[in-house]
Each structure stands twice: as C-alpha cells, then as structure tokens.
Amino acid sequence: MNIAAITKNGVYIVCAVKELDDPAPNFLIVYDIHTGLLFKKWKPNTNTICVAISSESKVVINSCEDCYIQVWDLTTGSCRFTLKGHRSPADIISQSENGQRFVSFSKNGIENTIRLWDVSIGSQLACYTPDSCITACVISEEGERVALAVKGRETIIALSLKSYNNAHSNKTPSIYGSEERQGITFDVSKSG
C-alpha cells in the first residue's frame, strides 16, 4: 500500500490520514512542501488504499476500498472522474512521467488485471490479465508501454498500447528498441 506520494518536482505531498477515535473513512491531505502549509483536503466516502500525485497533469489519484479510483483536480479541488473497472481494490498506482496516464493493479492476487487509464479524459485505455499475480510494474514516460513481472514467471511481460488509428492505418508501426531483438524472450532469472 502506498498511502503517501510526492510530486516529481518535489512541491507537493499527498497523504491518506485518519483521525484518532473517528469511525469515518480516512481522508486525503495535500501539503505544499516548501511552505509547509495545507494546500487541499478531500474526504472520499470510503477509505483510500493508495494514492498518487502529479504536478504535470495537476491531479491526485486515489484508489478506494470500494474498488473505485478517483481523480481529483489539484488546482480546483473538484473530483474530475470516478473510474470503475476493478473487482478488487487496486493497491498500486504507477504514473507515466508526463502524468497523463497511469496503471493500477492489486498485488493481493484476488484480481490479476492491470488497467491503463488516461487522466485527461477519465477513461480506461486498456487492460491485461496475466495467468498469475502481478508482482511489479513500470509504465513508460509517455504511458504507451508497460513492463510487468508476474509471480512464478522468469521473464518480464512487455506490453505496448496500440491506438485505434495505429491499428487501422497502412503505416508500418515503429519498432521500439533494436529491431533484431523484437519477439525475443529474455530470461532475467540468471545474473551475469
């Protein structure tokens, strides 16, 4: 669980906090690190499982115990989107460098699906369900590629998002990395 996150530029920090002796769900607070002042505060209807924050896209993202993901506007404080799709609360949110996309998944093994979202339109772009539990994941800078590790598997799974326009165009898709390595499975279980 990641119930605190800091912006890439180090200006803001978001935390999910709970007041002592209060049965209400935890809430989100954002502080300006440079001044130490409270910047924003939100009280979602259910407990937050994990959070992420981006000064690039000006959002705070929280995954809730009711399986929804909320995208909050860092400037206005309003909820931009409530995203649906998970059957189990996502306990991991990983954002692209530009803050426009993020992946969410659960390491608990109840739901093995990883979902890719776009924060600018509040929409799921893709989902992938491996055979077993996801143990680690990273999203590329622009949010079009995802690499993940899966329990019991010695190789990394690399995924690329293909847009509808790219899938139906006559253009040859660009090759990522070295062309002679396309389609090769790499064994990462051995060092050296």
Side-chain angles (χ1 to χ4, degrees):
M1 251 190 310
N2 189 13
I3 56 173
I6 190 169
T7 55
K8 186 173 70 172
N9 63 5
V11 174
Y12 299 107
I13 186 168
V14 61
C15 303
V17 296
K18 180 130 176 100
E19 292 185 25
L20 297 176
D21 300 326
D22 186 355
N26 60 17
F27 55 93
L28 300 174
I29 54 171
V30 177
Y31 281 97
D32 180 318
I33 295 174
H34 297 285
T35 65
L37 297 175
L38 178 66
F39 184 70
K40 292 282 186 251
K41 181 177 178 180
W42 294 283
K43 289 193 173 192
N45 294 330
T46 62
N47 283 315
T48 293
I49 303 299
C50 71
V51 294
I53 187 170
S54 171
S55 53
E56 291 75 26
S57 59
K58 297 178 178 55
V59 297
V60 170
I61 304 165
N62 72 304
S63 174
C64 299
E65 68 183 1
D66 62 3
C67 302
Y68 291 106
I69 294 175
Q70 295 174 307
V71 179
W72 301 88
D73 190 298
L74 188 56
T75 305
T76 67
S78 63
C79 184
R80 283 190 194 172
F81 306 106
T82 298
L83 308 174
K84 304 172 189 175
H86 284 287
R87 293 176 293 122
S88 175
D91 56 8
I92 303 290
I93 294 174
S94 179
Q95 292 179 285
S96 61
E97 287 288 318
N98 64 13
Q100 292 301 310
R101 294 182 177 168
F102 71 94
V103 291
S104 59
F105 66 97
S106 176
K107 289 177 90 172
N108 66 15
I110 295 172
E111 177 188 12
N112 294 332
T113 301
I114 185 168
R115 297 179 188 280
L116 176 65
W117 308 89
D118 186 312
V119 298
S120 63
I121 58 175
S123 180
Q124 179 179 292
L125 300 176
C127 66
Y128 175 76
T129 306
D131 293 335
S132 61
C133 183
I134 300 165
T135 58
C137 175
V138 65
I139 185 170
S140 66
E141 183 174 330
E142 73 286 345
E144 293 184 2
R145 292 181 176 82
V146 175
L148 52 118
V150 176
K151 186 176 182 176
R153 191 177 166 129
E154 294 181 354
T155 57
I156 293 173
I157 298 172
L159 307 170
S160 293
L161 178 68
K162 293 188 178 186
S163 70
Y164 179 83
N165 293 336
N166 288 345
H168 292 84
S169 74
N170 292 331
K171 292 182 181 178
T172 304
S174 61
I175 301 294
Y176 180 75
S178 178
E179 190 171 352
E180 63 271 1
R181 292 180 175 247
Q182 294 298 307
I184 295 175
T185 301
F186 295 91
D187 183 354
V188 295
S189 64
K190 299 173 186 147
S191 61

